[in-house]
Amino acid sequence: ITVLISTHDVDFAYEWADEVMVFHKGSLLADGTPQDVFSRRDLLARANLKPPVVLEMFDRLCQKGILKSSLALPKNMAELESYIEKVNLNTLSGGKVTLKNAEKKAILVVSFGTSHEDTRKVTIDAIEEAIGKTYPDYTIYRAWTSKMIIKKLKNRDNVIVPTVREAMEKMAEDGITDVVVQPTHVINGIENDLMKEDALSYRDRFHSILFGDPLLTTTEDSHRVIEAIAHEFPQLTDRQALVLMGHGTTHFSNAIYAALDYTFKDAGYPNIFLGTVEAYPSLDSILKLVKCYGPEEIILAPFMIVAGDHAKNDMAGDDPDSWYSRFTEEGYKVSTVLKGLGQYPEIRQIFIDHIGQVIGE
């Protein structure tokens, strides 16, 4: 029995019909399967129709990189839900290219960057080397997100470091089919958001694009970082306070700094404090908290992947507004440790494990 229905209900027609014909002003605009017809946005616009909700949702999830657009179009919400259930929601994925030949895999390590070669060698370089040793089947690529630092290195040293987009272009030219993007960012902030946008703009060139998490993403990450810091300062006494200087951001993810400062205390380290240069907790806030604890000596260390400009100048510099000067002015004996987080083996392992979580190892 053939059943013919005339309707403007695109959601009903998409899920129910075997064949769809779209008419407009007495003329036949299209005739085909629901998937073929309702995926043509230009056609639907001419007929003053909107795409079915399930296709709208599917398209948006693909644009955000949560689902792959190479998947078959879901026929209904149940099929879309089945796609979502299979996704690791801690990662984003993209990619539209169908894999025809053997896969060629790469890991793109994305860092903010630094113009200081000494700290780069023992932090960013060390992270990349550790990742390469752990995942020998992957080619390691580099990208930095700070265009200012990239420009400075080019003008000063004639050293070329690619942006995320340039690195994605290079990998496509090299025939890479599957990419894992692992940031060395501390938090899921603005730099991380922009990195994902840049990488996913190349989804048409790759079979898959996966993203590992920044350093502080889960509660487990926070506790592992706390233990890594504690292991680096095993001789810390009750008369000393370790003050860590983070960067800080206007992004809502900045709340992790205050939360981690509290977690240090909750984990049994009442004399470890975490502040930021550009946000909250500020130096003024940390000074008050440290004063309440009452130590005799302050140890300053960067809570950043590299010990670059902020660590050498804002933290350990002689400027009256530096953290070193401010704590000295308060009467404390102050020492500094210019060691970026990237130098800590346990921190590097967290990034390695984040890649493993993405690729299933």
Side-chain angles (χ1 to χ4, degrees):
I1 298 174
T2 298
V3 178
L4 182 66
I5 292 180
S6 175
T7 180
H8 287 90
D9 188 339
V10 293
D11 296 298
F12 171 73
Y14 178 71
E15 183 172 358
W16 173 82
D18 298 306
E19 181 181 359
V20 173
M21 292 177 284
V22 178
F23 288 88
H24 182 58
K25 295 183 178 179
S27 299
L28 180 65
L29 293 184
D31 181 6
T33 66
Q35 290 89 340
D36 290 339
V37 172
F38 288 121
S39 61
R40 294 175 56 185
R41 290 179 174 271
D42 57 335
L43 170 77
L44 297 179
R46 288 175 58 192
N48 297 317
L49 297 172
K50 294 183 178 180
V53 171
V54 65
L55 290 187
E56 284 273 74
M57 293 183 64
F58 177 73
D59 186 51
R60 291 181 184 180
L61 290 171
C62 291
Q63 289 176 6
K64 293 179 180 294
I66 296 173
L67 294 179
K68 293 183 180 180
S69 55
S70 57
L71 291 168
L73 293 177
K75 182 70 175 176
N76 48 48
M77 293 301 293
E79 289 187 9
L80 181 60
E81 288 175 5
S82 69
Y83 287 163
I84 296 173
E85 288 174 354
K86 298 175 183 178
V87 173
N88 178 358
L89 294 179
N90 287 328
T91 65
L92 289 173
S93 62
K96 293 185 177 181
V97 177
T98 302
L99 191 61
K100 297 179 180 179
N101 302 312
E103 64 179 0
K104 192 174 180 181
K105 302 179 293 185
I107 296 173
L108 174 62
V109 183
V110 180
S111 304
F112 180 80
T114 179
S115 60
H116 295 260
E117 184 179 10
D118 56 344
T119 188
R120 189 212 71 227
K121 289 181 177 179
V122 294
T123 56
I124 295 175
D125 290 3
I127 292 171
E128 293 172 351
E129 290 170 5
I131 290 173
K133 290 179 180 178
T134 306
Y135 302 104
D137 295 335
Y138 290 76
T139 304
I140 307 300
Y141 289 79
R142 164 184 290 181
W144 289 1
T145 57
S146 174
K147 293 181 174 60
M148 183 173 66
I149 292 176
I150 290 174
K151 182 178 180 180
K152 182 176 182 178
L153 284 181
K154 181 179 179 181
N155 294 337
R156 187 189 70 186
D157 306 325
N158 197 30
V159 172
I160 307 299
V161 179
T163 63
V164 173
R165 287 178 178 269
E166 290 169 344
M168 296 296 290
E169 182 69 36
K170 173 62 175 174
M171 287 188 290
E173 292 174 355
D174 291 346
I176 298 298
T177 60
D178 297 86
V179 180
V180 177
V181 182
Q182 178 57 53
T184 66
H185 301 144
V186 174
I187 62 175
N188 290 272
I190 297 170
E191 296 291 327
N192 212 62
D193 290 345
L194 295 175
M195 174 205 72
K196 290 175 179 177
E197 289 181 12
D198 287 344
L200 287 173
S201 68
Y202 281 79
R203 61 164 60 91
D204 290 340
R205 308 281 294 277
F206 297 94
H207 173 247
S208 69
I209 304 172
L210 300 173
F211 294 85
D213 288 330
L215 181 64
L216 292 172
T217 300
T218 66
T219 301
E220 180 187 358
D221 291 339
S222 295
H223 286 289
R224 291 181 67 181
V225 168
I226 287 172
E227 290 306 310
I229 297 292
H231 289 167
E232 286 294 325
F233 296 90
Q235 306 302 323
L236 191 67
T237 69
D238 293 340
R239 296 183 178 181
Q240 296 173 316
L242 172 62
V243 178
L244 303 170
M245 185 187 71
H247 189 278
T249 175
T250 56
H251 194 274
F252 62 85
S253 60
N254 188 79
I256 187 63
Y257 289 108
L260 191 62
D261 178 74
Y262 172 82
T263 309
F264 270 111
K265 315 299 187 292
D266 190 51
Y269 303 104
N271 55 341
I272 299 181
F273 300 84
L274 174 59
T276 68
V277 181
E278 298 186 0
Y280 181 84
S282 66
L283 174 57
D284 289 335
S285 300
I286 295 300
L287 280 168
K288 295 176 185 177
L289 295 173
V290 170
K291 187 176 182 179
C292 291
Y293 179 76
E296 298 176 358
E297 181 182 351
I298 303 296
I299 301 172
L300 296 175
F303 191 79
M304 303 176 185
I305 298 302
V306 303
D309 279 328
H310 283 303
K312 295 177 180 179
N313 299 316
D314 297 319
M315 187 190 79
D318 294 327
D319 187 272
D321 291 329
S322 73
W323 289 33
Y324 175 84
S325 297
R326 292 285 302 276
F327 275 103
T328 300
E329 186 180 354
E330 292 292 326
Y332 297 107
K333 178 183 178 182
V334 184
S335 60
T336 60
V337 178
L338 292 175
K339 188 173 184 178
L341 294 177
Q343 291 181 249
Y344 301 178
E346 293 171 75
I347 297 295
R348 295 197 291 268
Q349 188 61 47
I350 293 175
F351 289 125
I352 290 171
D353 291 345
H354 283 177
I355 296 173
Q357 292 164 6
V358 169
I359 64 178
E361 291 188 2

